[in-house]
Amino acid sequence: MNIGEASERSGLPAKTIRYYEDIALVAPDRADNGYRDYSSSDVHRLRFLSRARNLGFSIDECRLLLSLYTDRNRASADVKAMAEQRLEEIDAKIAELQSLKSALQPLVDCCHGDDRPDCPILDDLAGLRTKVKHAQA
Amino acid sequence: MNIGEASERSGLPAKTIRYYEDIALVAPDRADNGYRDYSSSDVHRLRFLSRARNLGFSIDECRLLLSLYTDRNRASADVKAMAEQRLEEIDAKIAELQSLKSALQPLVDCCHGDDRPDCPILDDLAGLRTKVKHAQA
DNA sequence: TCTTGACCTTCCAGTGACTGGAAGGATTAG
DNA sequence: CTAATCCTTCCAGTCACTGGAAGGTCAAGA
């Protein structure tokens, strides 16, 4: 099948599929007219990539996951370790965002947000640490 | 002061400071020897940038925040709106990561993670939807 | 048969916000 | 005098695409 159909079936944009070929994640055949010709196992591979990317695995991790996937002797421990690391990264990112939020929220809460010029958010950015009233829940 | 000291005082790497000059966020003087010469208000600006970046504002948002900061007539509403949008982005990102986590966690939980080859994580990536036992809390 | 439009190809450049490194000049300490 | 440290500019690389230009191919309709 042509790249358009492979794109539809895998859910990946054609541009992305060509890019994945550039970096050797897929290797479709070529038809006589020069068009790429995808087999259903190519599409399978693309769907695998799509899912793994959606779970936040990097391209290099995807490459490794693919090689583990096609290696009938791999140990599930290898995959589990990668997934656990992903989970840790996710947790770290969530924690970071929550601390960001707890820094920004009180500033927003105590900025009156009208057409007067004084603004505790800018004051904070400028390093003028004014007392921030804790917002009532 | 030279860039090294400005870097120390602002907490930004010298590379970053030069980059900020490239994109016109700061404009230090030049000494006779060609070295950049930072005033304390330059450093103030850099610290402002550092704080805003740490809160996750983009470079363009920082540019806007700086211009609002130096505009004595700005309305605090403008700044508040930007900060509120940031908060929304943060919330959206947290939600996304949590949904990622809830997709990945059960796979990790039910992967035995030993040297046997069968692995529910890879099965899921491959589209083989095996039943995932809900982990006991 | 011609033409239109959808599809495909390659290649180049841009994204955001830096970061690394090379090559070379200036300054300072010993 | 020399070595180390600092500074300069400029170029390239990061990550994972994405946009666009220029042009070839194909299928359907008038």
Side-chain angles (χ1 to χ4, degrees), chain A residues 54 90 94, chain B residues 90-101:
Chain A
N54 280 337
I90 291 170
I94 288 174
Chain B
I90 291 169
D91 282 337
K93 195 75 196 168
I94 289 175
E96 187 195 329
L97 286 169
Q98 267 158 355
S99 108
L100 226 57
K101 183 177 176 175

Side-chain angles (χ1 to χ4, degrees), chain A residues 106-121:
Chain A
L107 296 176
V108 166
D109 288 343
C110 74
C111 174
H112 37 70
D114 53 20
D115 51 8
R116 281 172 294 166
D118 59 306
C119 172
I121 300 169

